[in-house]
Amino acid sequence: MGPVARAWLLVMACVVLTGCSGAQSMLDPAGPSALAIAQVWWWMLGVATVVTLGMVAAWWLAMRRRRHSDDAVSDHLATRDGLRWMVGGGIVLPTLAITALLIFGTPAGMHQLPLPLNGGAEPLRINVQARQWAWMLHYPGSGVRLQNELRLPVGRPVDIHVESEDVIHSFWVPRLGGKIDAIPGRTNIIRLQADQAGRFRGQCAEFCGLNHAHMVMTVIAMPVAEFETWQAAARGAVHD
């Protein structure tokens, strides 16, 4: 491998690896829901890589064998192999892939559903209203309202009740979980949880107009005691 090729591979590796971390990387999970999604993604990447290498190897062997056979034998092999590829690649492989995806992907999606909990603290409810082009957040019971900023306690499930004031938006905090659409006239619920304190980035993942790219939010995961102190202070400011 020449120096140019090595330099190109190094650049590509750096580009790929930079996407594996950061405030908005789904491959750098900070909660159970995001972790489950990332694990499914890595398995999908691994299986896709194996299948791709297998296809390349099969193609190489087929071309090599064809060069060393006469035309009659080559035509017979082509017909036989064509049937095998149709059945194996068109029926068996997709069936296995979809079945495996359902088996491993369904539990990952369960993390995001607002299901009853077996013990522990009740989920914190936060109402989120999307509008062009901002996120309006309300903490029921405390009267605290924020714009483009979501604060939540570490280690506690949070049920996000999402709705839209105008067009369809999509609520997404990649390091904490998957997406859910904000639809006018409908309330959708997604459960998130942060397992570590820090700042993350949320994004509208549905094109919603001219300033769609600027419809972002800052997500701040705080230790429980710090979160309660902040909420009490914010509640006092609201009532003053």
Side-chain angles (χ1 to χ4, degrees):
M1 183 182 296
V4 175
R6 285 197 296 269
W8 176 250
L9 287 176
L10 179 61
V11 170
M12 292 302 296
C14 291
V15 170
V16 171
L17 291 176
T18 53
C20 296
S21 62
Q24 199 174 351
S25 174
M26 60 167 285
L27 300 181
D28 187 15
S33 179
L35 177 61
I37 293 172
Q39 288 174 338
V40 171
W41 187 91
W42 283 113
W43 274 103
M44 289 175 63
L45 176 63
V47 172
T49 301
V50 171
V51 170
T52 301
L53 292 176
M55 294 286 288
V56 172
W59 169 82
W60 181 80
L61 290 173
M63 293 298 100
R64 186 170 181 272
R65 184 173 60 182
R66 194 166 185 172
R67 285 198 302 268
H68 294 83
S69 61
D70 56 44
D71 292 342
V73 174
S74 179
D75 291 342
H76 172 72
L77 291 175
T79 301
R80 186 193 65 185
D81 291 346
L83 291 174
R84 288 179 176 177
W85 279 108
M86 287 175 61
V87 174
I91 299 176
V92 176
L93 182 59
T95 300
L96 292 176
I98 293 173
T99 301
L101 187 59
L102 288 173
I103 292 174
F104 291 102
T106 300
M110 298 291 285
H111 284 279
Q112 301 180 88
L113 298 179
L115 300 174
L117 298 175
N118 295 323
E122 284 298 312
L124 173 67
R125 173 171 174 166
I126 302 176
N127 295 335
V128 177
Q129 184 178 64
R131 65 174 65 165
Q132 294 174 310
W133 289 272
W135 300 99
M136 314 304 295
L137 298 99
H138 175 227
Y139 294 72
S142 68
V144 177
R145 296 181 181 274
L146 300 174
Q147 179 172 331
N148 296 332
E149 182 178 291
L150 169 62
R151 291 178 180 249
L152 46 85
V154 171
R156 182 178 176 184
V158 178
D159 286 347
I160 308 291
H161 293 242
V162 184
E163 58 184 22
S164 173
E165 183 181 281
D166 37 47
V167 300
I168 295 178
H169 302 275
S170 186
F171 178 91
W172 188 32
V173 185
R175 292 193 62 192
L176 297 183
K179 310 171 190 175
I180 194 164
D181 283 344
I183 302 173
R186 180 182 178 88
T187 300
N188 291 328
I189 306 173
I190 186 170
R191 177 167 293 171
L192 303 180
Q193 180 175 319
D195 285 341
Q196 64 187 63
R199 285 177 174 264
F200 315 114
R201 189 174 188 268
Q203 173 73 54
C204 177
E206 181 81 22
F207 181 73
C208 56
L210 183 63
N211 290 321
H212 159 72
H214 301 289
M215 190 172 172
V216 299
M217 97 180 69
T218 300
V219 181
I220 305 175
M222 311 168 70
V224 175
E226 185 178 334
F227 175 81
E228 291 177 350
T229 300
W230 164 80
Q231 191 173 45
R235 183 187 299 116
V238 169
H239 295 314
D240 284 348

